[in-house]
Amino acid sequence: MPPSTAGSTPAGLPAGGERAIDAARDSAWGEIERHMAQMAPYEFQRLVADLLRAMGWHVPWEAPPGPDGGVDITAFRDPLGATGGRLKVQAKSGAMTVRCEPVRAFAATVNEDEAGLMIATGGFTDEADTFARYQARKRLALVDL
């Protein structure tokens, strides 16, 4: 589903202009969804790391191909990791909806002084979402496409 666009239509558009913008936005979002569905897992992981960098995070480590122990990316707010906690990221590409067990396994890698971010292009089951939301001692966020 495309991101919310409430209040983003320019004033003074000709009649039907808003519909044309909405149609273009929907078409563009469809292309993004198709492109991301075709990305290889490590290509998606690199995209997530690059997005974190664009958001001002410092990403000193990305998992190489092979077993990663449940963490694909680690990031810090500053280059030395001296302020704030560490962010651990698990990136899951593909159309499969992530069930609760992979979320539980990822949560087990996140310590109390860290934050966990799990991104899945296929989304999460309600059970997985509920589990993440009710973590009392861990900061765990789930993000879908």
Side-chain angles (χ1 to χ4, degrees), residues 29-124:
W29 187 251
E31 288 298 317
I32 291 167
E33 287 177 327
R34 279 188 287 285
H35 176 73
M36 291 182 75
Q38 295 173 1
M39 292 178 88
Y42 288 99
E43 183 182 13
F44 181 65
Q45 177 181 304
R46 280 190 305 276
L47 172 66
V48 170
D50 288 343
L51 287 171
L52 287 170
R53 286 183 188 100
M55 293 170 64
W57 287 87
H58 298 270
V59 179
W61 185 80
E62 293 178 55
D68 57 27
V71 177
D72 293 328
I73 300 164
T74 58
F76 297 95
R77 278 292 181 193
D78 67 86
L80 299 176
T83 59
R86 175 169 49 180
L87 176 65
K88 290 181 175 176
V89 181
Q90 176 70 235
K92 298 215 172 269
S93 61
M96 292 286 295
T97 302
V98 175
R99 301 175 64 82
C100 192
E101 191 50 43
V103 176
R104 285 182 196 275
F106 176 64
T109 71
V110 179
N111 299 316
E112 289 184 26
D113 60 339
E114 300 172 325
L117 173 63
M118 188 173 215
I119 301 172
T121 56
F124 299 88

